[in-house]
Amino acid sequence: MKKALITGYRGQDGSYLSQLLLAKGYDVYGADRAGDTGLWRMRELGIEGKVKEVSLDLLESTNINYALAKVKPDEIYNFAAQSFVGISFDQPVLTAEINAVGVARLLEGVRQARPQARFFQASTAELFGSMGSAQKNETTDFHPRSPYAVSKLYAHWLTVNYRQAHGLYACNGILFNHESPLRGEEFVTRKIAAAAARIKKGQLEKVAVGNLDALRDWGYAREYVEGMWLMLQQPKADDYILATGETHSVREFIETAFAAAGIKLEWKGRGLAEKGVDAKNGKVRVEVSKAFYRPADVKELVGDANKARKLLGWAPKTKFNDLAALMVDAETKRLEGKKVKP
Ligand code: NAP
């Protein structure tokens, strides 16, 4: 039985990967910092109590080394992160401590205590930042535009370095946005899906969002963790992009999610004064707020996952409209007290 250690296992990706690896017969160890945030994800996935918990904070070397010595994992998936781009502008130092230096602590622990283990680093499309609108592949240069992306850039290159310098089987998954009903509530897709469902039920008047024109490549997280697992099953370690190859604006996500909730929106006004109005009754349902704008934003992200397609046999299946619809459906079920199958 293979042993996997997943850091940040109570987050979106960690919980889906836990479910996947349990189904594959792995002995799954979940490492997260103190607290019980995210346990609701385990409950909704029906795997509560099935992952063996290990206490681990990427800020602290001693507990990383202890976890590696205790578990002796065959595979390590590093998802632990301050993962919200917006917050990174307010907490750049903490973001760097966790996302950059934290990965150095972890990789050095692996090198010393468990060099035979296979290591996955959750790298990000945000590394490409302002590299223009063409599809990005594994050879595209990086130009990060946030403290989050800068911290992840360090971790990305460190992972490459431990592979090249120390011979570790270490891979970067350069992940474009992937969403699901298990996304944290601060992320825009989940916020929109939850608002659409609550407005439909008469429990909310309207929702405020930031830049409506930001373009992202959005896939379904459940499918992305399959690609991450495949990266660690290859003869040689390498870096791969996971993406759908399609780009859609925040505005389109809002229209699609509201349509899935049965609300047709019309856009009125421009810039910060723009509003999404219910076509049926004229009520304002979406507002733009400067508070959600980033000091430096990434205009457009779209990825080319051909390498993963060819070498891993991985391909995304869920289309943009279906992703928005399944997220609204899950939010509606939560409001109705029904079982969610995320
Ligand atoms: P997530 O839901 O925010 O999960 C992150 C997890 O890391 C949470 O369980 C969090 O615990 C934990 N964590 C935070 N700080 C920690 C620390 N100091 N030590 C140990 N654990 C800590 O993120 P996700 O969406 O699953 O993403 C997984 C990884 O992929 C992240 O590294 C993210 O940056 C990266 N990524 C995600 C996407 C995406 O679209 N989802 C795209 C590109 C890259 P708390 O609940 O206690 O905060």
Side-chain angles (χ1 to χ4, degrees):
M1 189 188 263
K2 270 196 200 170
K3 275 196 243 177
L5 178 68
I6 306 173
T7 73
Y9 87 102
R10 295 192 306 245
Q12 171 187 262
D13 293 1
S15 48
Y16 277 124
L17 184 73
S18 294
Q19 189 189 43
L20 179 78
L21 296 186
L22 285 167
K24 287 186 185 294
Y26 277 62
D27 197 6
V28 182
Y29 288 79
D32 227 312
R33 55 187 176 178
D36 60 2
T37 53
L39 277 181
W40 60 274
R41 295 186 174 99
M42 303 293 146
R43 276 195 291 278
E44 287 196 347
L45 287 172
I47 56 168
E48 198 181 9
K50 296 194 175 149
V51 175
K52 294 173 184 153
E53 288 195 33
V54 187
S55 167
L56 183 149
D57 194 314
L58 281 186
L59 295 175
E60 169 73 58
S61 282
T62 51
N63 65 171
I64 293 174
N65 298 339
Y66 177 76
L68 290 169
K70 181 180 162 196
V71 176
K72 298 189 175 50
D74 302 296
E75 295 174 10
I76 301 161
Y77 296 85
N78 182 36
F79 294 148
Q82 190 303 91
S83 66
F84 193 56
V85 174
I87 289 171
S88 76
F89 286 97
D90 299 328
Q91 300 185 332
V93 178
L94 181 65
T95 301
E97 279 290 349
I98 299 172
N99 297 3
V101 186
V103 179
R105 292 185 190 100
L106 184 56
L107 275 168
E108 189 48 27
V110 174
R111 182 176 83 84
Q112 291 187 23
R114 199 66 189 156
Q116 66 273 51
R118 297 187 165 204
F119 179 85
F120 173 85
Q121 167 62 16
S123 199
T124 169
E126 292 284 329
L127 300 188
F128 297 117
S130 56
M131 286 309 294
S133 59
Q135 280 201 345
K136 313 292 180 299
N137 63 30
E138 291 79 0
T139 64
T140 308
D141 286 342
F142 300 131
H143 189 141
R145 295 260 294 163
S146 63
Y148 167 81
V150 173
S151 69
K152 284 281 189 176
L153 184 65
Y154 174 92
H156 180 96
W157 283 120
L158 201 70
T159 301
V160 173
N161 182 256
Y162 270 67
R163 180 167 78 224
Q164 294 176 346
H166 303 300
L168 292 195
Y169 187 113
C171 301
N172 284 296
I174 308 170
L175 313 171
F176 281 68
N177 286 57
H178 45 285
E179 315 295 318
S180 75
L182 300 183
R183 211 26 162 153
E185 285 190 49
E186 65 278 31
F187 291 89
V188 70
T189 51
R190 171 89 196 279
K191 179 172 148 179
I192 293 164
R198 289 179 64 202
I199 288 169
K200 180 68 185 172
K201 293 267 177 209
Q203 296 180 8
L204 184 75
E205 188 60 29
K206 58 189 172 189
V207 62
V209 298
N211 182 8
L212 288 170
D213 297 315
L215 290 154
R216 293 291 182 271
D217 179 328
W218 276 306
Y220 183 22
R222 176 181 281 288
E223 294 163 5
Y224 281 50
V225 299
E226 184 96 39
M228 302 175 204
W229 173 76
L230 283 167
M231 287 180 209
L232 295 200
Q233 315 309 315
Q234 303 309 308
K236 253 181 74 196
D238 206 345
D239 306 322
Y240 301 86
I241 280 179
L242 298 184
T244 69
E246 273 183 32
T247 188
H248 295 273
S249 65
V250 171
R251 184 193 305 278
E252 280 177 272
F253 192 89
I254 294 172
E255 285 166 5
T256 311
F258 274 71
I263 302 168
K264 182 171 164 28
L265 282 183
E266 282 169 356
W267 297 101
K268 299 205 167 140
R270 295 189 66 150
L272 283 173
E274 187 165 4
K275 300 199 185 324
V277 175
D278 188 328
K280 231 187 209 167
N281 55 25
K283 287 190 179 171
V284 173
R285 296 310 193 188
V286 183
E287 276 182 349
V288 178
S289 164
K290 211 161 186 220
F292 298 111
Y293 270 73
R294 308 257 157 87
D297 205 0
V298 174
K299 208 167 147 212
E300 176 167 7
L301 286 174
V302 59
D304 167 2
N306 264 326
K307 181 174 170 184
R309 221 177 271 269
K310 241 193 238 156
L311 300 180
L312 305 178
W314 178 86
K317 296 181 193 76
T318 303
K319 303 300 281 181
F320 175 77
N321 285 12
D322 297 330
L323 175 63
L326 74 83
M327 289 179 71
V328 173
D329 181 59
E331 295 301 336
T332 307
K333 289 208 168 88
R334 283 178 184 133
L335 292 176
E336 291 171 349
K338 291 186 183 152
K339 201 171 158 40
V340 176
K341 285 190 190 152

